Amino acid sequence: MKVSIANELTEVDALAVICFEAGDQATSDPELARQDGWLAELRASGEFTGKLYEAVTLYRPQGISAKRLIVIGGGKQGTFSPVELRRIAGVLVRSVRGKGVKSIALSLDQKYVSSGLTAAAAEGALLANWEPDRYKSEPKKNEMRVDFFTVVGENAAATAEALDKGRIIAEGQNFARDLVNEPGNKLTPAVLAEQARGMAAARGLECEVLDSDAMETLGMGALLGVAQGSTNPPFLIVLKYRPEKAMGSEHLTLVGKGVTFDTGGVSIKSADGMEKMKYDMAGAAAAIGAMQAIAQLKPAISVTAYVPTVENAVGGNAQRPGDIVTTLSGKTVEVLNTDAEGRLILADAITYAKRNGATHIVDAATLTGAIAIALGHYNVGAFTNNQALLDKLLKAAGVAGEKVWQLPMDDEYKDYLKSVFADLPNVGGRYGGAITAAWFLKEFADPTPWVHLDIASTAWLDDAKPWLAKGPSGVAVRSFVELACAWSGAN
Ligand code: BES
Ligand code: MN
Ligand code: ZN
């Protein structure tokens, strides 16, 4: 799919316009707004109220050359922002997908053309066009052109740059979704490492991959303990972006949980819904997808991604409940539950990142089912040992249109993590499961400023949204990229 800015309205299969709720009578098209008899009639019919993301298609409306006019609800004009426009562009694409429409123009008044809005529109359109159908014999092809029709005047260069930024970010996010969509038999840790290596080579990033011998030598007992139940060997993928001129000595570090399939291990999961555990590498995919975008957007800060990747399987050599492993940090962990494997591999990756110069760490992990109980499916759960870093992340997430909600990390929660036989157990009790998981990670991240994002309930959509397909959401990519870009002031 191609997205572009059009200064002139050319022949298109569908012209689209945003209309706000009654009372906010305007449309996003100044020309159409002037002759809004059609809109008044449409509203009077009750078929369209302007409610956010509502979509109606009119055929051959009088006075309009396009065959279709798609009217999309913009909600309240006063609160209209890039967040809404991103989804509206998505609703538009998905409302015509598979209907033979080859070209769309979304008409936007100049007042809806800023860098933020333009980037969001491009993102929304490209994200909406993604489908998880690559293993269908006949994947749906959707080669459409989406123009954002507007008069940009003197801001043309900035607008074009914003469009490009949106495209680059959406491509990074769609790459992450492609990786998450791969089933466990196709995407093993070795294949994930190959994918990362290929991306790095294409985008000019440095890539190192540690194999199990290297990790053995280093002493990554926690990561290797998880991996030993699978015949698919584990890896630690390291992707490095170095700017030509760094602004300071800060070193942003992304860490992503890369469990290519999580059976639970000996503490095996129930069969119901286990097939979804192919998405247990969504944090890894987010880090890799973000690095692809960062390589192209070139912020003035060093960024390194660490991706520990394993399969949590139940082979004869699988670790048992009660096993004690020695982490890279030297701390010992009693593995009370082999299904709490994510924190084990992250502990070693975080320690390794610290040893290699990380000054600020942000991890993304499908870490706990408990985060869905706490926050439902709309907010990513965030935890930190450093409020200033989390505030930066929250700000970036706001710009990126990803919802993130902070959860507490009071010292009292640490009391849930007590082991008689080792320094730490890998699970707390029944309560505050997402928090005890975060506390476990904090024991390894301290004192380095660190943020943990639990994306277990947001990385997978059980149902399609009007602007996004069912399946992998690609969450955290946009926040990661925005964080890196905002850090350096580059936009
Ligand atoms: N990968 C799961 C968490 C998860 C659950 C992700 C549901 C996506 C959807 C993680 O490895 C896990 O199994 N966590 C356990 C922890 C428990 C044993 C303390 C959980 O949440 O049940
Ligand atoms: Mn698990
Ligand atoms: Zn897991």
Side-chain angles (χ1 to χ4, degrees):
M1 189 167 92
K2 200 169 151 16
V3 290
S4 51
I5 307 278
N7 290 297
E8 252 170 64
L9 190 56
T10 51
E11 189 87 0
V12 283
D13 295 338
L15 176 65
V17 61
I18 299 166
C19 294
F20 298 96
E21 283 177 15
D24 290 351
Q25 278 282 335
T27 76
S28 61
D29 182 309
E31 196 56 44
L32 283 172
R34 244 167 268 137
Q35 43 158 66
D36 80 350
W38 61 273
L39 180 56
E41 199 178 338
L42 183 60
R43 285 190 206 277
S45 74
E47 281 175 54
F48 180 84
T49 62
K51 218 178 79 194
L52 209 44
Y53 315 132
E54 192 179 14
V56 170
T57 303
L58 309 177
Y59 282 89
R60 300 224 179 271
Q62 269 186 2
I64 293 169
S65 62
K67 182 173 156 198
R68 301 175 184 81
L69 177 65
I70 303 175
V71 188
I72 302 199
K76 303 226 179 323
Q77 195 174 19
T79 53
F80 189 74
S81 78
V83 173
E84 286 77 28
L85 183 57
R86 185 180 289 106
R87 290 184 175 177
I88 284 173
V91 170
L92 174 59
V93 166
R94 292 190 75 77
S95 69
V96 298
R97 232 183 158 265
K99 293 182 182 165
V101 171
K102 293 272 171 276
S103 55
I104 324 170
L106 174 61
S107 179
L108 292 168
D109 187 276
Q110 251 195 304
K111 67 177 173 240
Y112 303 113
V113 182
S114 66
S115 295
L117 285 162
T118 306
E123 284 168 20
L126 290 162
L127 294 170
N129 201 36
W130 185 93
E131 280 290 328
D133 60 358
R134 74 162 286 203
Y135 289 106
K136 295 263 192 197
S137 299
E138 285 173 35
K140 281 188 223 144
K141 278 206 201 69
N142 262 283
E143 280 317 312
M144 320 187 209
R145 193 185 87 220
V146 181
D147 291 336
F148 301 107
F149 167 58
T150 188
V151 182
V152 282
E154 60 216 47
N155 291 328
T159 308
E161 199 179 310
L163 188 87
D164 233 33
K165 180 180 177 187
R167 178 184 56 75
I168 287 167
I169 293 174
E171 284 171 2
Q173 188 169 343
N174 282 342
F175 178 39
R177 294 163 88 195
D178 280 333
L179 293 172
V180 175
N181 187 48
E182 292 296 309
N185 64 330
K186 305 279 184 196
L187 190 115
T188 58
V191 174
L192 184 61
E194 260 337 290
Q195 288 285 327
R197 228 197 268 276
M199 182 280 283
R203 305 291 173 185
L205 296 173
E206 225 181 288
C207 178
E208 271 170 42
V209 179
L210 278 65
D211 63 11
S212 50
D213 287 344
M215 293 190 279
E216 187 91 54
T217 306
L218 284 161
M220 296 189 171
L223 189 157
L224 292 169
V226 175
Q228 75 191 31
S230 172
T231 50
N232 292 313
F235 295 95
L236 178 61
I237 306 163
V238 185
L239 291 167
K240 297 181 189 173
Y241 162 76
R242 296 291 176 269
E244 263 172 36
K245 251 203 220 124
M247 276 210 326
S249 57
E250 295 184 327
H251 189 159
L252 179 61
T253 300
L254 310 177
V255 179
K257 172 179 172 182
V259 176
T260 58
F261 194 81
D262 182 10
T263 66
V266 170
S267 315
I268 200 162
K269 289 183 182 295
S270 62
D272 236 18
M274 203 204 274
E275 71 282 356
K276 264 175 59 183
M277 279 303 117
K278 68 174 184 174
Y279 90 89
D280 212 16
M281 36 59 71
I288 296 169
M291 289 305 282
Q292 174 178 296
I294 287 167
Q296 295 167 83
L297 294 171
K298 302 192 190 310
I301 181 176
S302 288
V303 188
T304 303
Y306 293 86
V307 176
T309 177
V310 303
E311 180 178 41
N312 190 21
V314 269
N317 195 40
Q319 70 179 345
R320 299 139 282 254
D323 280 7
I324 294 177
V325 295
T326 303
T327 63
L328 178 61
S329 73
K331 285 190 171 120
T332 56
V333 176
E334 184 185 7
V335 181
L336 289 177
N337 189 317
T338 65
D339 198 9
E341 84 296 341
R343 62 198 78 181
L344 293 169
I345 68 168
L346 290 170
D348 280 346
I350 287 170
T351 304
Y352 187 69
K354 279 164 67 180
R355 290 196 184 166
N356 286 281
T359 64
H360 297 77
I361 301 175
V362 186
D363 80 69
T366 48
L367 205 61
T368 68
I371 199 66
I373 308 300
L375 295 177
H377 295 95
Y378 301 110
N379 271 280
V380 170
F383 308 80
T384 192
N385 62 0
N386 183 292
Q387 195 59 41
L389 180 60
L390 180 52
D391 287 344
K392 267 191 179 174
L393 185 281
L394 290 173
K395 193 165 169 215
V399 171
E402 294 187 323
K403 289 180 194 282
V404 179
W405 195 262
Q406 181 173 10
L407 282 110
M409 285 291 274
D410 305 80
D411 286 342
E412 286 90 331
Y413 290 104
K414 198 188 159 199
D415 295 342
Y416 288 143
L417 286 175
K418 289 244 163 73
S419 166
V420 176
F421 307 106
D423 296 336
L424 279 169
N426 76 328
V427 294
R430 191 165 132 67
Y431 302 109
I435 302 174
T436 48
W439 246 105
F440 181 92
L441 297 180
K442 175 172 141 61
E443 293 282 350
F444 297 88
D446 278 341
T448 306
W450 151 86
V451 165
H452 158 56
L453 301 177
D454 194 334
I455 58 170
S457 64
T458 43
W460 187 269
L461 301 176
D462 282 325
D463 297 299
K465 307 257 187 209
W467 54 86
L468 224 48
K470 174 184 167 133
S473 70
V475 73
V477 170
R478 296 206 304 273
S479 295
F480 278 167
V481 176
E482 194 55 45
L483 181 67
C485 290
W487 203 297
S488 62
N491 280 302

